[in-house]
Amino acid sequence: MREQQLVYSGQLAASLDGGELGADEADRLERYRTRHGITHAEHRDALVSIGWDIAQYEAAVAAAAELDAYCGLVEAAVSGGRVPEAEATCLDAYRTK
């Protein structure tokens, strides 16, 4: 196994240790894969080695993106000190997902 693959596997394991993935971590992992030529098969193998599969990883990435979007909405909504009704409705919809 190449050194880059070993490093990536370690980063992946650390990022997924708690069972969740942050949006920043997902972006960092994707940049590492691109920069170091980690193939889809190598990515899959690294996931399997830590007990994950592609579907679980993609679901974690999607959840991270949703949370990031939700946090952005919250930040924007409260920046004026008051949450407009339309934004409150949107936040409620995100919260129930």
Side-chain angles (χ1 to χ4, degrees), residues 4-7 13 20-21 25 29-30 37-38 41 43 48-50 61 66-67 69-70 78 81 85-86:
Q4 292 88 351
Q5 288 171 270
L6 290 172
V7 170
E20 295 180 359
L21 183 66
E25 291 172 312
L29 290 166
E30 184 176 350
I38 304 294
H43 170 63
V48 168
S49 75
I50 60 171
V61 169
E66 281 287 322
L67 180 59
Y70 175 75
V78 299
E85 187 174 330

Side-chain angles (χ1 to χ4, degrees), residues 5-75:
Q5 288 171 270
L6 290 172
V7 170
Y8 178 72
S9 292
Q11 289 179 346
L12 190 62
S15 295
L16 298 174
D17 186 44
E20 295 180 359
L21 183 66
D24 291 341
E25 291 172 312
D27 290 342
R28 182 178 47 79
L29 290 166
E30 184 176 350
R31 284 192 311 273
Y32 188 91
R33 283 194 310 272
T34 300
R35 187 177 11 204
H36 296 285
I38 304 294
T39 67
H40 184 74
E42 291 167 334
H43 170 63
R44 182 196 62 234
D45 292 346
L47 286 169
V48 168
S49 75
I50 60 171
W52 281 61
D53 62 32
I54 291 291
Q56 289 171 302
Y57 182 78
E58 289 175 355
V61 169
E66 281 287 322
L67 180 59
D68 198 44
Y70 175 75
C71 290
L73 284 173
V74 169
E75 187 176 308

Side-chain angles (χ1 to χ4, degrees), residues 71-95:
C71 290
L73 284 173
V74 169
E75 187 176 308
V78 299
S79 66
R82 184 172 157 273
V83 179
E85 187 174 330
E87 289 184 17
T89 301
C90 189
L91 290 171
D92 285 340
Y94 268 102
R95 232 185 335 264

